Amino acid sequence: MDTEEKGMINCPKCGKEVAKSSRFCPFCRASLVGEPQGAPEAPVEGDTAKVKSVTDDSDVEKIAVAIKKATTPEKSAQWTSIIGVSAGVVMLCFGAYAFFTASVGCDSTSFGGDAYTYIYKGIVATAKTLYLICRCLGMALMCGGAAMSCHFASRFGK
């Protein structure tokens, strides 16, 4: 029986028989099909280039299963996402509390033109500044918590 009738071809580099459906020679790893433009020459991390030979379809299936396992998120990655979402929600809650409960505890009552009036005005100004700082920090915590929760929640499906 001729090699072409068996679905075999000869490798252009080493001359050994390989299956027609093979993309690479299992013996010398030479490409049996034209490389697409812009394809990387060096193997990429996690690529199937680590496999030295492919002899039949069952090996290809084993490689596909191994690649799927390597790209499937582990349980620890899922726990990381759960912890990240939880931390984001806690940040969001603390930010909302800081934002909505910030208040100024001083009234702007004037006592007259003496030193106590100027001291009191300084205390009121300081209190208003602290109030604005608490509101800004609260808003920053709310936004950061929401962003953090969204980021980690988006990683669940990957």
Side-chain angles (χ1 to χ4, degrees):
M1 200 184 275
D2 191 288
T3 58
E4 289 191 15
E5 291 176 17
K6 293 190 287 186
M8 305 292 278
I9 59 170
N10 290 332
C11 174
K13 187 172 181 182
C14 67
K16 295 188 180 181
E17 285 187 352
V18 294
K20 273 186 179 180
S21 61
S22 298
R23 293 180 59 198
F24 296 96
C25 175
F27 304 102
C28 68
R29 298 287 298 149
S31 176
L32 300 176
V33 293
E35 295 232 347
Q37 292 181 347
E41 293 191 4
V44 181
E45 181 82 21
D47 196 3
T48 57
K50 294 180 182 177
V51 179
K52 293 188 180 179
S53 68
V54 177
T55 56
D56 60 12
D57 289 339
S58 65
D59 287 339
V60 173
E61 290 173 16
K62 289 177 187 176
I63 293 168
V65 169
I67 291 172
K68 186 172 182 179
K69 283 182 182 178
T71 57
T72 303
E74 298 176 11
K75 291 192 185 270
S76 63
Q78 290 176 349
W79 277 108
T80 303
S81 294
I82 291 170
I83 291 169
V85 169
S86 301
V89 169
V90 168
M91 257 175 71
L92 184 80
C93 291
F94 276 120
Y97 178 79
F99 183 79
F100 292 113
T101 61
S103 64
V104 178
C106 299
D107 292 330
S108 58
T109 306
S110 176
F111 297 124
D114 56 356
Y116 292 112
T117 302
Y118 297 111
I119 292 171
Y120 183 75
K121 286 183 180 182
I123 292 171
V124 170
T126 303
K128 287 181 180 180
T129 303
L130 289 175
Y131 165 76
L132 292 175
I133 290 172
C134 285
R135 295 283 303 239
C136 291
L137 287 176
M139 183 59 72
L141 279 172
M142 284 193 303
C143 293
M148 186 174 175
S149 295
C150 291
H151 168 73
F152 282 104
S154 70
R155 296 175 62 187
F156 275 118
K158 293 182 180 177

